[in-house]
Amino acid sequence: MQRATVVVGQAEGLHARPAAEFVKLASRFRAAVRLARGGREADGKSIMAVMALGASRGAEVELRAEGEDEAEAFSALRAFLEGGGA
């Protein structure tokens, strides 16, 4: 399992459009993707769950990826969260 705390660098945080882009990126991988913030946890492939975290710019979220292509998924999703885009 790949796991790290990541600071959200997306200008709009994980609101509608960035959350949709995150979910689209996460869905490219077979690995299970989870995000956690403030005691709440979300399936990284569910836009509603990701948006419900309410992660704005500068928020710390825990990113986890587990499964066959977890290293690639973790690297791509971490870069996205840090503001690197999809």
Side-chain angles (χ1 to χ4, degrees):
M1 178 190 321
Q2 304 276 320
R3 173 189 292 205
T5 299
V6 180
V7 175
V8 175
Q10 294 286 330
E12 300 171 5
L14 286 178
H15 293 282
R17 187 181 51 77
E21 291 174 4
F22 180 89
V23 168
K24 184 176 178 181
L25 179 59
S27 296
R28 292 182 191 167
F29 300 99
R30 292 184 182 179
V33 176
R34 305 290 295 176
L35 285 175
R37 176 175 181 261
R40 292 180 286 167
E41 189 169 310
D43 178 350
K45 297 181 180 181
S46 165
I47 187 168
M48 296 306 290
V50 171
M51 287 178 56
L53 292 175
S56 58
R57 182 183 177 102
E60 289 186 348
V61 296
E62 182 181 84
L63 170 65
R64 294 193 309 256
E66 183 172 14
E68 158 180 346
D69 54 359
E70 65 186 37
E72 295 86 0
F74 185 82
S75 177
L77 294 165
R78 182 175 191 165
F80 179 86
L81 288 171
E82 292 176 338

